[in-house]
Amino acid sequence: IAQPCVIKDSPSFTVMDSKNIIGAISATKASQICIEKARKYGMHTVFARNCNTFGPAFYYAELMSKEGMIGFVCSNTPAAMPAFNGLEPMIGTNPFAFSCPSKTSGTITLDMATSIVAKSHFSTALANHEKLKEGWALDQNGNPTTDPMEAIKGVVLPMAGFKGYGIAMAIDILSGFLSGSGYLNRVNKFYSQDGKGMNVGQLFVAINPSLVYDGDFHADMDDYIKTLRMSKVVEGKTIALP
């Protein structure tokens, strides 16, 4: 059975070849490298190439936060969104996750894609004979559509318009291009007829606040969360945190 191998190793970063194995296994290995190196050096980044889909990104960010660290993870994906003003799929719905622990007030964890909605919603809507919400998709001709079949043939739109597109591009460059993986529309599909791997690129970062921060970071994060929760709130609501 293939195992991920380290191609480049330094105190600040590691480049890892995931060998097209199960994504959860290689991503866990990358997270462990980040944790071990950040304990010593304060911060570490792993660039992983030749990866497969790893499931929910927050899982790996939380592997780091459970060790008292700040975790950040991002990945590119097969192209599903157009370039801004474009018509064809050129960039993935590239997700990212962030996880930051506190001492007693829980963990702030954010996990999101850069598309306005997961493209899987299109197939679900088609199977349930439902329309899509307006603003989710364009058909092949660049026209807004609520027809899931036309959306499947077309493209899903980025969240927050140009902003989501820009964030997706940044993730593609950092996790895909820089790691030596596929990028833009050169990332392969999860299912293929020719047996080629996806060649997804993934980025993992662990920050050790005990070395970086002056003071008791985790106790001060309690105050950070408490300050947010004590801010003025809409009647009948509570302050929400990710």
Side-chain angles (χ1 to χ4, degrees), residues 48-103:
R49 66 177 67 162
N50 199 20
C51 302
N52 259 308
T53 298
F54 61 15
F58 78 85
Y59 177 81
Y60 310 102
E62 286 196 339
L63 286 179
M64 302 176 205
S65 64
K66 287 175 181 176
E67 296 296 324
M69 300 187 185
I70 298 170
F72 178 82
V73 176
C74 62
S75 175
N76 67 2
T77 65
M81 300 195 299
F84 204 74
N85 296 327
L87 288 177
E88 62 178 305
M90 287 300 298
I91 197 162
T93 60
N94 305 346
F96 68 90
F98 167 88
S99 189
C100 178
S102 69
K103 191 168 186 177

Side-chain angles (χ1 to χ4, degrees), residues 201-235:
Q202 293 164 355
L203 173 76
F204 304 80
V205 181
I207 301 171
N208 183 354
S210 298
L211 295 183
V212 175
Y213 183 74
D214 292 330
D216 188 334
F217 175 84
H218 300 98
D220 289 349
M221 273 302 301
D222 283 348
D223 180 66
Y224 183 99
I225 293 170
K226 181 180 179 181
T227 301
L228 280 172
R229 293 203 183 279
M230 291 179 65
S231 61
K232 291 182 180 179
V233 65
V234 174
E235 185 174 354

